[in-house]
Amino acid sequence: MAVMKDTKQKITDAAIAIFNEDFSAPLETVAEKAEVTRRTLHRYFKDRNDLLAACHHTMQESCRSSIGAVYATYTEPLERFEHMLYAAIDCGVKFSFLHKLHNNEHHNHSEVDKNCSDYDRTFNKFKSTIEDLQNKGLITGGLTAEWIEMLCTGIVTAAINAEKAGNVARINIKKFAWYSLSKGVLV
Amino acid sequence: MAVMKDTKQKITDAAIAIFNEDFSAPLETVAEKAEVTRRTLHRYFKDRNDLLAACHHTMQESCRSSIGAVYATYTEPLERFEHMLYAAIDCGVKFSFLHKLHNNEHHNHSEVDKNCSDYDRTFNKFKSTIEDLQNKGLITGGLTAEWIEMLCTGIVTAAINAEKAGNVARINIKKFAWYSLSKGVLV
DNA sequence: ATAGAATGTCTCATATCTGAGAAATATGAC
DNA sequence: GTCATATTTCTCAGATATGAGACATTCTAT
């Protein structure tokens, strides 16, 4: 029998999936997805905010570690760009939900908040890579770094949806995503 | 003074914006966005489902009319493809929320349901245009129609986010979107 | 200025969500 | 098998969301 995943983590993962699609979903929904009782959920998490914080932490850590590893492994901007896309796709919902949380209109992004500074540290690796590409003249003239950043998250979203819908072969998803992204922004 | 928008429509539009980001958001939130009292909202809509139905109707109509107009105006698949992207970007949140509703895992898509058949009628124009491009050999070999469909909605999402964030010049958004999409999938 | 319609204010009953106690049951290590 | 721990089940009180009645206020057209 496969090793049972830690219940707390299982609930957190379920919450990430649920809250990403429906931020105000009742905790009952999260519990169902995690295959536990709502009562059990409350044993691990004081309240909704506590659970949210755990989600946040998991997402930060997952993104930080994946993006960080790519950044450390590759030094050429182009290689970094490609593998950061793959890393983001691997992080999947964790990537897009974290991004959503820090970029919605109600969120006040402040450097004092540890969550925000952690987020910045990770995503600045993404942004600076794009700027490096621009400085090297590898980006199609006219396209701005801001657009490319938006496009990246859009393509990651596409990859996640393709994965969920199951109508694009799993091995192809990353290949297609990189093809569309690279052709779509590089000279 | 500008003509005051019909209250019912104002509430519906607010609901589309709110529910797209937070499906289970309290109606109070929608009322605030629409700048009315919750009491007024309830004068126009029997309950949450009634409001949801109105949102659905507005989104269907907006997408049907925009996509339909493009389909009628252009006959070349490539022109259709380009202008459908622009139409989708113009529909903005209405496009992506409608798409989300009909493609989430809980939704049972059935042809009997009028909403579903209306949705299909509209979005099949999108899909068939992609297939036409493929048959004409204009799509990069290997890329599947399903991927391209996902990519389109991803790029529309990117355009919406760029619009919201305001960090990409408005006139550039459609230009960039079409550039990235066309280079990303066409031979 | 005034009637009629639309909206706001205050209030309330009901429904659903939330968080937690207590005891029963399942699970896993030894 | 026994014990310790984790989880479920049942329960309940408080919080929040929902839907609507009654009346006051504002707006609009004439």
Side-chain angles (χ1 to χ4, degrees):
Chain A
M1 179 169 70
V3 175
M4 173 93 70
K5 200 201 290 194
D6 184 53
T7 303
K8 187 166 186 179
Q9 195 57 52
K10 196 175 170 190
I11 296 172
T12 307
D13 290 342
I16 291 171
I18 294 292
F19 290 156
N20 180 51
E21 291 196 338
D22 183 0
F23 192 72
S24 297
L27 298 181
E28 181 81 52
T29 315
V30 175
E32 275 169 23
K33 177 113 185 168
E35 299 175 291
V36 284
T37 321
R38 194 166 57 83
R39 191 63 191 84
T40 299
L41 185 153
H42 278 297
R43 284 227 175 66
Y44 287 98
F45 302 97
K46 195 185 140 293
D47 57 22
R48 195 186 188 84
N49 278 340
D50 191 19
L51 175 56
L52 228 304
C55 293
H56 216 132
H57 182 264
T58 293
M59 296 189 292
Q60 293 272 22
E61 189 48 33
S62 172
C63 293
R64 186 201 59 75
S65 129
S66 306
I67 307 262
V70 169
Y71 201 79
T73 306
Y74 303 94
T75 52
E76 277 301 307
L78 194 54
E79 283 182 310
R80 277 183 174 166
F81 193 51
E82 177 177 357
H83 287 90
M84 277 188 187
L85 175 68
Y86 299 151
I89 293 175
D90 284 333
C91 289
V93 176
K94 296 201 277 296
F95 177 93
S96 62
F97 188 25
L98 182 59
H99 195 271
K100 208 190 284 181
L101 280 180
H102 283 269
N103 289 284
N104 85 67
E105 46 199 329
H106 306 297
H107 172 73
N108 288 45
H109 205 72
S110 93
E111 292 144 28
V112 188
D113 185 340
K114 180 154 189 318
N115 268 329
C116 295
S117 61
D118 282 354
Y119 172 86
D120 285 342
R121 232 192 318 283
T122 299
F123 282 76
N124 280 340
K125 294 201 169 73
F126 217 110
K127 293 180 189 177
S128 74
T129 301
I130 294 172
E131 281 162 23
D132 289 346
L133 287 172
Q134 275 186 318
N135 293 335
K136 282 202 155 193
L138 296 175
I139 299 289
T140 301
L143 296 185
T144 66
E146 287 76 18
W147 166 254
I148 294 173
E149 198 196 325
M150 301 283 180
L151 182 65
C152 285
T153 68
I155 288 183
V156 171
T157 304
I160 293 171
N161 289 336
E163 167 100 47
K164 250 193 298 221
N167 54 12
V168 180
R170 257 185 134 278
I171 15 159
N172 279 335
I173 293 181
K174 283 185 190 175
K175 199 175 68 180
F176 288 176
W178 172 242
Y179 181 89
S180 298
L181 176 59
S182 58
K183 297 289 179 188
V185 303
L186 302 177
V187 288
Chain B
M1 180 170 67
V3 175
M4 172 94 69
K5 199 200 292 194
D6 182 52
T7 303
K8 188 166 185 178
Q9 194 57 52
K10 196 174 168 188
I11 296 172
T12 307
D13 290 343
I16 291 171
I18 294 293
F19 290 156
N20 180 51
E21 292 197 336
D22 183 0
F23 192 72
S24 297
L27 299 180
E28 182 82 51
T29 314
V30 175
E32 275 169 23
K33 177 115 185 168
E35 298 174 294
V36 284
T37 322
R38 195 165 57 83
R39 190 65 191 82
T40 299
L41 185 152
H42 279 297
R43 283 216 184 76
Y44 286 97
F45 302 98
K46 194 183 140 293
D47 57 21
R48 194 184 190 84
N49 278 340
D50 190 19
L51 176 55
L52 229 304
C55 293
H56 215 133
H57 181 264
T58 293
M59 296 190 291
Q60 292 272 22
E61 188 49 33
S62 173
C63 293
R64 186 200 60 74
S65 132
S66 306
I67 307 262
V70 168
Y71 201 80
T73 306
Y74 304 94
T75 51
E76 276 302 306
L78 194 54
E79 282 183 311
R80 277 182 174 167
F81 193 51
E82 177 177 357
H83 287 91
M84 276 189 188
L85 175 68
Y86 299 151
I89 293 175
D90 285 333
C91 289
V93 176
K94 296 202 276 298
F95 176 92
S96 62
F97 189 25
L98 182 59
H99 195 270
K100 208 189 286 181
L101 282 179
H102 283 269
N103 289 284
N104 84 67
E105 44 198 330
H106 306 295
H107 172 72
N108 289 46
H109 205 71
S110 91
E111 292 143 28
V112 188
D113 185 340
K114 180 153 189 319
N115 268 329
C116 295
S117 61
D118 283 355
Y119 172 86
D120 285 341
R121 231 191 320 284
T122 300
F123 281 77
N124 281 340
K125 294 201 168 75
F126 217 109
K127 294 179 190 179
S128 73
T129 300
I130 294 172
E131 280 162 23
D132 289 347
L133 287 172
Q134 275 186 318
N135 293 336
K136 282 203 157 195
L138 296 175
I139 298 287
T140 300
L143 296 185
T144 65
E146 287 75 19
W147 167 253
I148 295 174
E149 198 196 328
M150 301 283 179
L151 182 65
C152 284
T153 68
I155 287 184
V156 171
T157 304
I160 294 171
N161 289 337
E163 167 100 47
K164 251 194 298 222
N167 55 11
V168 179
R170 256 183 134 280
I171 16 159
N172 279 335
I173 293 181
K174 282 184 191 175
K175 200 175 68 179
F176 288 176
W178 171 241
Y179 180 88
S180 298
L181 176 59
S182 58
K183 296 289 179 187
V185 303
L186 302 176
V187 289

